[in-house]
Amino acid sequence: MTIGIAGDGQLGRMMITAAKELGFDVVVLGTTENSPAGQYARQVMGDFRAEAPVLGLGDHADVITFEIEDAHAGALIALREKGIEVHPSPETLHNIKDKFRQKQLLAGAGIPVAAYRSVESSDDLISAAQEYGYPLVLKARLGSYDGRGNAAIKRADDIEPALDKLAGRGWYVEQHVPFVRELAVVAARDRKGNVATYPVVETRHVRHICDTVIAPAQVDGITARKANDLAVKVLDTLQGVGVFGIEMFETPDGQVLINEVAPRVHNSGHWTIEGAVTSQFEQHIRAVTGLPLGSTDLVKPAAVMINILGDRNGPAEPTGLHEALAIPGVSVHIYGKADTKVDRKMGHITAIGDTVDEALANAKRARQAITI
Ligand SMILES: Nc1ncnc2c1ncn2[C@@H]1O[C@H](COP(=O)(O)OP(=O)(O)OP(=O)(O)O)[C@@H](O)[C@H]1O
Ligand SMILES: [Mg+2]
């Protein structure tokens, strides 16, 4: 069986590793020469955002999936109508890729989310400020990742620059949530409808970019259960087979709100490669190929993942592997990107250990050792 992946980045690369372990052939679609995924599998050169290349991927694969929300949903629907398996459901992709439509869908299903409203002009932001107060978070509806579709509005003077920053992608605005922690649950559904969730994790962001993930989140049992139950409710609301990443806010009064959902493997689940019995990547491949889901248990009491973000612009030159890998329980993943850029995801570190404190200290030491 050949699996086609729309997208050629690191998520595809890690899916390929899992797929090949199970004996599947993989072909990826993307425009990057020598891409992170293309180093590991055959690559069809073409833009996954455009209709024709995605349709063309159907000539090479029996099952199609995607590693990025920007994949062309209409073409994926057409492929499924031709009889090719496409997972997760392209309708779900269509509903999620527009973050405003996604919010409406979740809120409409009774899932708690931050107060939000559509934005057409600065007047809508002035009304939002009157209703919610400052700060506000303006978001682009389309094409956002790693916080690049967000702009904080702390006072009226920030409104015009924020609209300019995100122009051309549609806008909506959210109330700023004064969260005590950000949480995430990676959940999977197989073709029979069985759902499995990984333990709830804490995600820590720097400049709106995921930086550190702590598994399991150090929250009380009630909050952990709330987060897990909300993740299951999100999956009940969205159709589709495969892995979903569900981002949440824990509020000071003990509520859990959904921030956003990704219909794909997720940065908050990278720790599962070494930290769980079944990695999220294997789980996704199992789900989309019709295999049963695997155990989501941790293999050690704690796992911590730290992203390796670029800290300069230029050709990537990883250093410090020797020092990082000498630390107990530490694994390093470098994504094979030719060029490093400030805040670009270039790799990640996972440390597993007997306590969160130990794993966190080891992951931080390893992160300090590495430059790229
Ligand atoms: N309403 C909000 N209140 C407070 N903080 C927020 C809000 N919305 C977003 N943030 C902060 O910005 C981060 C990124 O926001 P969001 O998840 O919407 O963007 P993204 O570009 O899709 O990010 P990513 O690709 O990292 O998931 C959040 O994880 C959180 O730290
Ligand atoms: Mg996010």
Side-chain angles (χ1 to χ4, degrees):
M1 190 190 286
T2 302
I3 302 168
I5 302 174
D8 57 5
Q10 67 267 16
L11 300 180
R13 178 181 175 105
M14 292 184 273
M15 275 188 213
I16 295 165
T17 313
K20 299 234 163 170
E21 281 295 315
L22 292 171
F24 295 115
D25 190 19
V26 184
V27 54
V28 302
L29 174 69
T31 52
T32 308
E33 292 286 343
N34 196 29
S35 66
Q39 292 164 22
Y40 281 36
R42 278 182 297 139
Q43 178 160 351
V44 176
M45 295 306 280
D47 185 355
F48 48 76
R49 294 176 191 85
E51 186 172 18
V54 175
L55 288 174
L57 184 61
D59 298 337
H60 302 273
D62 309 296
V63 178
I64 296 210
T65 188
F66 44 87
E67 56 127 47
I68 182 158
E69 285 94 324
D70 277 350
H72 195 286
L76 293 170
I77 292 173
L79 288 175
R80 194 199 45 219
E81 279 163 7
K82 274 173 60 184
I84 298 171
E85 295 272 352
V86 181
H87 300 295
S89 140
E91 283 79 5
T92 295
L93 172 64
H94 171 77
N95 286 332
I96 283 184
K97 72 194 301 179
D98 177 333
K99 287 173 68 148
F100 181 68
R101 194 184 299 134
Q102 178 191 140
K103 273 268 140 71
Q104 288 180 301
L105 189 78
L106 296 173
I111 290 168
V113 297
Y116 70 99
R117 57 190 285 166
S118 65
V119 172
E120 305 291 337
S121 70
S122 54
D123 288 346
D124 295 323
L125 286 170
I126 292 163
S127 322
Q130 279 161 0
E131 200 180 334
Y132 313 143
Y134 292 107
L136 300 168
V137 184
L138 184 70
K139 296 192 179 184
R141 290 175 63 153
L142 293 170
S144 302
Y145 66 101
D146 298 346
R148 281 165 219 198
N150 291 0
I153 299 178
K154 295 191 177 126
R155 58 189 84 81
D157 287 351
D158 296 339
I159 289 180
E160 288 303 334
L163 288 169
D164 287 347
K165 180 184 165 195
L166 304 178
R169 296 147 71 184
W171 303 289
Y172 78 100
V173 68
E174 287 178 12
Q175 184 169 30
H176 180 269
V177 179
F179 55 79
V180 288
R181 255 184 295 255
E182 290 190 76
L183 304 174
V185 173
V186 169
R189 179 160 43 215
D190 69 13
R191 287 203 202 163
K192 289 193 171 145
N194 299 307
V195 169
T197 53
Y198 287 89
V200 55
V201 300
E202 177 182 348
T203 59
R204 294 183 184 167
H205 291 71
V206 177
R207 294 182 300 281
H208 287 215
I209 307 167
C210 177
D211 181 77
T212 303
V213 174
I214 293 170
Q218 303 296 287
V219 291
D220 60 57
I222 295 169
T223 305
R225 186 153 336 111
K226 262 189 205 163
N228 183 74
D229 292 353
L230 259 185
V232 171
K233 188 162 178 192
V234 167
L235 254 65
D236 284 347
T237 305
L238 303 172
Q239 300 167 15
V241 166
V243 164
F244 293 75
I246 302 157
E247 301 176 12
M248 308 176 186
F249 298 124
E250 181 190 348
T251 66
D253 59 352
Q255 299 302 304
V256 179
L257 307 178
I258 297 294
N259 171 25
E260 60 164 351
V261 181
R264 55 165 170 78
V265 288
H266 194 255
N267 201 172
S268 69
H270 290 0
W271 65 273
T272 60
I273 298 176
E274 291 85 14
V277 175
T278 313
S279 82
Q280 66 162 346
F281 302 99
E282 178 180 339
Q283 196 77 305
H284 185 70
I285 296 299
R286 286 179 181 228
V288 303
T289 58
L291 293 168
L293 298 178
S295 163
T296 56
D297 290 345
L298 284 98
V299 298
K300 280 268 205 177
V304 170
M305 191 270 344
I306 298 185
N307 276 328
I308 302 172
L309 301 176
D311 50 20
R312 61 181 176 88
N313 297 332
E317 283 161 33
T319 64
L321 271 183
H322 192 280
E323 206 181 328
L325 292 176
I327 301 168
V330 164
S331 302
V332 177
H333 298 256
I334 301 290
Y335 302 149
K337 297 180 184 179
D339 291 316
T340 189
K341 280 190 206 135
V342 172
D343 285 346
R344 187 178 196 196
K345 288 177 180 167
M346 300 300 292
H348 74 264
I349 289 161
T350 301
I352 59 174
D354 290 325
T355 64
V356 160
D357 287 347
E358 176 200 329
L360 183 59
N362 286 341
K364 280 185 176 164
R365 264 173 66 207
R367 177 66 191 91
Q368 274 156 15
I370 290 182
T371 61
I372 190 160

